[in-house]
Amino acid sequence: MTFLPIILWTDGVIFALVLIAGLAIRQIRRSPQLRDAWRKVFAKPIGFATFVALGFFGVIGIVDSLHYRPALPAEPGVEKQYSGEVLSALDALLAPLRLNTEKTYSAPLATRLFARETVEFEGGGQARIFPRLVFGGAHLASEDEWVSDVLKRVSVGLLVGGVLTGLLWLSVRRAAMRESPRASSADGLHASASEPEPAWRAAVLTMGALLVVSAVIISLASGYHVFGTDKVGQDVLYLTIKSVRTALVIGTLTTLVMLPFAVALGILAGYLGGWVDDAIQYLYTVLNSIPGVLLIAAAVLMMQVVIDTHPEWFSTAAERADARLLALCVILGVTSWTGLCRLLRGETLKLRELEYVQAARAFGVGTVTILHRHVLPNVMHIVVISLVMDFSGLVLAEAVLSYVGIGVDPNTISFGTMINAARMELARDPMVWWSLVAAFVVMFLLVLAANLFADVVRDVFDPRRV
Amino acid sequence: MLGLALLGGCADVWNNPYPGEGAGEGILYSAFISRPKHLDPVQAYSEDEATFLYQIYEPPLQYHYLKRPYTLEPAAAAAMPSVLLYDASGKRLAPDAPPQSVAYSVYEVRIKPGQMYQPHPAFAKDAGGNALYQWPDSERLGDRKAISDFSDTGSREVVAEDFEYQIKRLAHPHLHSPILELMSDYIVGLRDYAKKLRDTAAGAASVGWIDLREYPLSGVEVVDRYTYRIRLNGSYPQFPYWLAMPFFAPVPFEVDRFFAQPGMAERNLTLDWWPVGSGPFMLSENNPNSRMVLVRNPNYRRDETYPCEGEPGDERAGLLADCGKVLPLLDKVVFTREKESIPYWNKFLQGYYDASGVSSDNFDQAVQMGGQHDVSISDEMQDKGISLLTSVAPTVMYMGFNMLDPVVGGAGERARKLRLAISIALDQEEFISVFLNGRGVPAMHPIPPGIFGYREGEAGVNPLVYDWVDGKPRRKPVSEARKLLAEAGYPNGRDLQSGEPLVIYLDTTGTGVGGKAQVDWLAKQFRKIDVQLVVRSTDYNRFQDKIRKGNAQLFYWGWNADYPDPENLLFLLYGPQGKVKSHGENAANYENPEFDRLFERMKAMSDGPERQAIIDRAIAILQHDAPWVWGFYEKAYSLQHGWLHNRKPGRMIRNGLKYQRIDGEARAVARREWNRPERWPLLLVALLVTAMGLPAWLDYRRRERATATVNEH
Amino acid sequence: MFGYIVRRALYALPILLGVNLLTFALFFVVNTPDDMARMQLGAKRVTPEAIENWKAERGYDKPRFYNDKAFGVSKFTDTIFYDKSLKMFAFEFGAADDGRDIAEEIRSRMVPSLAIALPTFLLGLYVTVSLALLLVFFRQTALDFSGVVLCVAMMSVSSLFYIIGGQWLVAKIWQLVPISGYTGGLDGARFLILPVLVSVVAGIGANTRWYRTIFLEEVSRDYVRTARAKGLSELRVLFRHVLKNAMIPVLTGVVVVIPLLFMGSLLVESFFGIPGLGSYTIDAINAQDFSVVRAMVFIGSLLYIVGLLLTDISYTLVDPRVRLE
């Protein structure tokens, strides 16, 4: 093998998450009630569109989670060795972006460095000029061609993206036709009220927009730094794409960590009452009353000490950084389960008094069974809602934590570390705005999609809503 | 909105952060980033603290403001101290006696008569001549919270006893002077004195005032009202440099007694918080969270005048224009706390800071840099009349190899070649241009320019890392590094025997802004020679711990010289200073007997060709062994507005505020010019609110009417 | 009512004790007394003796929880935990690691923090509640929909962006207010405008959406329909009935945070150079001065508990049906 697959801790959890998601989908397909609810989500244009956008980010994140260590060139008489550097499938795909570094800042699509440098001419003498980039626009024979070249690349991108979108639209139509031949002919006249049609048009439009933008970026990226380069000449586009995984990990793993706590403790407290309730209430009031940032700061520092005192646990830098990321998720999870727990406790208190639960109890059904059969399914909507609602908040929190200095490992590429580094760049003249803007825009898109999706999910699942 | 309009009514500049203070006055506006931790002259040691402390306390000596290399001149002293050397039998030796034969040396300092302390309540006396604010209990302290709450003040002449008192304070068990350990090696009897005080303090029932006057210190002798002598073990030619620091400034015992009263410390009324000195300024407002204000000390001696001679070029730069004027030239200095760099910088551009004091990453916008020595400011800055000052600071930043490490450390040839390969591969020139915007000079050895022992030109170049080409040093090519790496047994970055890739670990604290960029850059440099760099960033304490225990492999470190003498830099590699061995300052734990011998000889010599020869040899040894990646010497770098005069860069000179002058008129004009508020956004906001409200209102009316009609039915 | 308050106050004691134990345990794993000493004594020329001295002087050389060598009660009182943590119950915060009195510091920093937090809170409440009512008034129209989308968009922007953007636009480009700084008194108003504005704008998205949800729930109730059927104007219905009845859920969210306003805002205070408790906390975290952090945690949790209590009391004021037993 030319590479050694590596499963980092967070990778493992992500794969587990994908598996859980798969199981959940199977469960949903089985239960008519849930299937109905989700159908409603996808019937809303915003619901489906944001789902597609989130899926797009999700795919980036998953591809970025397939880690490996490349093999070093074989040498005679030596056992096969692997590089100490851990890469991901995404790194392999983006190898040109990752490896084509400049000396320092360059503006988006620039052909020259952002800072002047003294260059010595061969014939003697020197001048202070903006030197040409090593990679950006290096294929141009003369910089006069820049405009036409950029336009050409953009139009190629638009064309490819457009064609792909068209193909997608056709295939969706065909698939839809095959599934219900009448639906397309009569435009949903026959679709029953209980089974609303998915909003295919919004989904395809979103996917199309993503495809077109990606195609344009890919087309440009083969010759330029689309979002410019940062202080040490790394491609900002590469950094932003890599940040997506970190954001997703923090957004999803944290909720995954806190979920068992919140659900188990919340339901137990609500259902059993008595001293169990008192103890659990005590626990979450204590945790809740400590100002969040301080609790997180203390825990992060503590965990750092643990990581530092056991360097032997981690054979590569990536594993260290990954351990810190996972620990951050755990800490965020431990500090944020209290809200959901309280909600669930309240809901269970109500459910406990319902007739069928009372009846089940009277028939001597075991507590575990009651909780599993009757209580849990009836609080699931709260869990789903808070899951999607928390996601965006956590992604935003990471940026602030990095500012305070208690965020992810400085080696980890994340929106937080990008924004933190970019704060200084705004003070330059002329301003270096691109890394900040790139990080903000991509983060904004991710969070906006998550928020809008969460809104739709809540509308559908919350029975009390108008 | 209303508030804005009101403000707009009363001034045509809306964004002045100093309400009520005129721009036209002789006030200097400056900023500080982190709050000073200590303002007690035996404790303060960092630059943050020096900013304030050197203006308030006046030690016996100071550096000449304009002359370079740095030269000492008398400040509180009447003349430079005289030195007498004695041998073990107490016989006087000639001044040029060999250092080995010197058993102890005596420094005699005569101070200027007639110097007065700043006005302070500790000196206030009642009609009977007793201290006014000396109370048996905290009752009468009342609700006084600041020094300004004490209505009466007094002053007193500075006498030799005050200098003696301060030297005794170095040994005070509660003050933790950072230089106590060092000074105990030199000042006769100081170590025993510290022990005696510790025992006394431990024996005392309460933590009260220890009247140090009752405990004599054998090494210091007050000869008369204006003269004192300090006895040192052996010869220590660097001692006068210490006499230019607040550690040796006069402190009156009255002040210590005043602050030791019950109830004072609980209100932060301590000398650590409210300094009392005889220097040109005194601290009038003390809020380290947001604002510190120095005002002119009315009692400052009148014989301190602006220097009339300097370096060639100073005349042209206008630095001699104020020759002979009585100092200080400023009435007041306002320091504002500015934690974030963006506001700091923008306020400087708006004219609300007169200079951007510190050399920090965020000021790089103004500067365009070319090669290493080619730094200028942008046209926009020049139009504003901003000028740039640079000078090389007596600071060396380096990356140390832990010599105890099995891979990179040790005296073996293999590790040495590996160290050299890394030294060549790490392109300091690029680092300086990317991260410091040219504010640095690549280092060849530990001694920065401006300090004796540094050599210009080819003689000063590290021949193992640089080639001398066309009259300039040029870093050896990466191929050279790769060759060395192969010779060390790691061809292409892989161990020859096992084939395993070579991994180097760097330990950093790496929390600051830009930490990530530096890590990325370093990884890039190591990739050039196919070595993988793993950065272990950790918090400050863990980092210190690793260094102390010798668990680090590679680390960044820097040293800010205490005084301009090569001894203060070369000692960083002196074997007995080993970090692991003796908690010294030799963080690389480097040990080479020959270097140590040379260092010991060099230390006690006075500057001259002989000393230079020994330094050259010592440096050659260091360059051969390569215990550090010789990083760079920092360039102090400051931007200033056109109305600020008499600023000359020089990191050693920390008491420079008294020389500076402000052209208030010019500043007032510029501030008005640069800060014209844009009023249209206010109008726009008003319009926007109306525009958003109008359709809502119309729609509301429509609905109301609709309901009304429905109801009529 | 009085009995209830006393009972709740007593109930707070074990919670505070728990908070204390937890933070004490967390921080002492991170920061041994040796670390604190090193942090405070600086990087240059620190000797082991100096560290021992420092620890002894500040009482960090004692055992953590249980003192073998002492007698009687002082087996427990002559420990770091008692000295540094339990004494906080008597509001004795002691000195920070740099030797300055924490209580004094907190007193002087409370004012600037409140000067930012209180106007932000009131103005924010006013703006977001009115916006939410507006959206509810226009419910199920395009205006409502775009309003909600706008709210979500505003929520999705990092708070750092609001601060950096606000400073850049208002203070740098338009030069309407000072970029940063603080003074007491009326003059200080000009420094407060921008941070307050930025904080209010940053909070609009999330809060408006939240209030809208609450109001919408009320609007769908029967009594609202009845009121409307009675012929009351829509505006009157909203303000008289909906707003009044939505008070309980609104109070649940709002009253809890009122005491916490004292704690200040970490980001805003740092960027605008306001010497409040928020920036004190950040400084302490960065300097790893855990005496300060411990004190802030204690005060924070105390205020939180006070907030919970106030919430309960406020219910009785809004709705006479609620009785506290």
Side-chain angles (χ1 to χ4, degrees), chain C residues 183-205:
Chain C
T183 53
L186 266 181
D187 254 346
R190 65 167 80 196
F191 294 105
L192 302 181
I193 292 171
L194 188 57
V196 167
L197 208 70
V198 164
S199 325
V200 168
V201 169
I204 282 182

Side-chain angles (χ1 to χ4, degrees), chain A residues 203-252:
Chain A
V204 170
L205 274 179
T206 315
M207 197 61 219
L210 289 169
L211 280 176
V212 169
V213 171
S214 313
V216 170
I217 288 180
I218 291 170
S219 152
L220 283 170
S222 60
Y224 300 94
H225 299 287
V226 183
F227 291 166
T229 52
D230 73 352
K231 189 164 192 157
V232 290
Q234 298 182 92
D235 192 295
V236 174
L237 175 64
Y238 172 72
L239 298 178
T240 11
I241 296 177
K242 288 288 279 182
S243 303
V244 169
R245 175 178 184 267
T246 315
L248 290 175
V249 165
I250 288 184
T252 53

